[in-house]
Amino acid sequence: ETRKLKLDMKVEKYLKNIVIDDKNQGAERDSISKIEIHRKAINKTKIELQYIIKVTNVGEIDGNIGKIIEEIPKGMQFEKDKSDSNWQQNEGILISTEYENKELKVGETKEYKVVLKWINGTNNFGSKVNTVKIEGITNGLEYSDNNEGDNKASVTTLFSIATGSNVKIAIDIIYIIFVTIISIGVLAVVEIRILQKKK
């Protein structure tokens, strides 16, 4: 008996760059980024988050992606001119149907850039969870996706009000990198601080 080939599309997402007042700050992959904004700078600080979405055919047969759906967190605004132009926007949701009728070959990867802007406001803080998912995966033989567990990915960014001196610290970005050591069950937390003085 011939084994049926697996159809498996995988989506990944990461924060590539944080841009504060038009200056690139970078970002650590596979980490939670915490952005602290001083209270006096809330209304004038410009913050953009640049995300990369990767869709890869990790299966054994070519296939089609019906939709790539990007959920914009509340308090963030889609920057269309700085993102890939094939997104359709509808009430906080971005949808791409670029590969609805085009095959993604085995091993092939398609990347998308999405840029979101933080909407300035004293009430716009907390956790911003940016989620992407792929739906309607199929192919010419009417196969369905073999592994739905890799059809969704999320990135979390924390926004908070900075503490400390008004003069010394304007913006403090903390990258918290969680490293899990499975053998002994230890959760290590590493913090890298970037301090930027306000001119």
Side-chain angles (χ1 to χ4, degrees):
E1 184 178 342
T2 304
R3 182 178 67 86
K4 186 177 179 179
L5 296 174
K6 293 180 180 179
L7 174 64
D8 187 3
M9 299 290 181
K10 179 181 181 180
V11 65
E12 299 170 276
K13 182 166 196 171
Y14 65 93
L15 182 59
K16 182 180 181 181
N17 193 20
I18 300 171
V19 182
I20 299 177
D21 293 333
D22 298 319
K23 294 180 181 179
N24 293 335
Q25 304 292 334
E28 292 289 332
R29 285 193 63 169
D30 304 320
S31 69
I32 296 177
S33 297
K34 182 178 180 183
I35 302 174
E36 294 190 348
I37 306 163
H38 200 279
R39 192 178 297 278
K40 289 189 175 181
I42 289 173
N43 292 328
K44 58 186 178 181
T45 302
K46 181 182 175 185
I47 299 175
E48 289 180 358
L49 304 181
Q50 299 178 352
Y51 297 95
I52 296 295
I53 296 169
K54 291 176 64 177
V55 181
T56 305
N57 186 343
V58 295
E60 302 170 320
I61 193 169
D62 301 343
N64 302 71
I65 306 161
K67 291 179 182 178
I68 303 172
I69 302 170
E70 165 83 352
E71 299 174 4
I72 303 174
K74 188 176 179 181
M76 303 295 290
Q77 177 179 304
F78 177 51
E79 295 287 273
K80 185 175 182 180
D81 293 341
K82 297 181 180 181
S83 305
D84 291 335
S85 60
N86 59 335
W87 294 102
Q88 303 161 21
Q89 186 173 8
N90 183 21
E91 296 183 356
I93 301 291
L94 304 178
I95 298 175
S96 172
T97 55
E98 180 184 357
Y99 272 78
E100 188 173 25
N101 298 309
K102 289 193 289 186
E103 282 191 331
L104 197 66
K105 305 294 183 183
V106 173
E108 185 179 357
T109 296
K110 177 66 179 175
E111 284 197 1
Y112 299 83
K113 182 174 78 170
V114 173
V115 179
L116 301 182
K117 178 183 177 182
W118 180 70
I119 299 172
N120 301 64
T122 54
N123 296 321
N124 192 16
F125 286 90
S127 178
K128 305 293 182 185
V129 182
N130 190 232
T131 301
V132 64
K133 56 187 176 180
I134 48 180
E135 293 182 350
I137 299 162
T138 185
N139 73 348
L141 300 175
E142 297 185 355
Y143 284 22
S144 57
D145 194 90
N146 188 260
N147 177 20
E148 292 185 358
D150 59 7
N151 292 167
K152 188 175 182 178
S154 296
V155 176
T156 299
T157 307
L158 304 176
F159 285 79
S160 63
I161 298 174
T163 57
S165 168
N166 291 354
V167 178
K168 273 189 165 183
I169 302 174
I171 300 163
D172 181 7
I173 304 172
I174 305 172
Y175 299 120
I176 306 173
I177 305 170
F178 293 94
V179 182
T180 306
I181 304 171
I182 297 172
S183 59
I184 55 175
V186 174
L187 182 65
V189 180
V190 181
E191 293 191 1
I192 305 169
R193 291 175 175 264
I194 303 172
L195 302 182
Q196 182 182 34
K197 292 185 178 180
K198 202 71 177 176
K199 295 181 180 178

